[in-house]
Amino acid sequence: MDTRAKMIYLPDTMTSNWPWPRAVNPHLEDVKAEFDASFRDFKALSPESQETFDKCNFGLTTSQF
């Protein structure tokens, strides 16, 4: 049995020569509002933590080209 670690190479798909135009999903704001409301109803966070979480915009953490 081969005990060496296997290397897997993934292609760089986010290069500047990406063949299709990048665009923000036009439904982003509607989906975000529904998700935020659903998450609030779940009551997973304390009120203080929920208030802080609500100030975050996780959609801005993705790469923009």
Side-chain angles (χ1 to χ4, degrees), residues 3-60:
T3 58
R4 291 179 293 172
K6 294 183 181 182
M7 272 308 219
I8 299 174
Y9 295 95
L10 301 176
D12 183 7
T13 59
M14 299 306 291
T15 61
S16 61
N17 61 354
W18 182 254
W20 298 281
R22 292 172 175 89
V24 174
N25 186 323
H27 306 289
L28 174 68
E29 292 302 321
D30 294 335
V31 171
K32 182 181 180 323
E34 287 184 36
F35 172 80
D36 289 348
S38 176
F39 190 78
R40 266 186 238 100
D41 289 344
F42 189 60
K43 300 187 187 318
L45 303 173
S46 68
E48 296 81 18
S49 295
Q50 184 66 52
E51 185 178 337
T52 302
F53 184 86
D54 289 342
K55 293 177 184 178
C56 297
N57 186 348
F58 294 105
L60 296 177

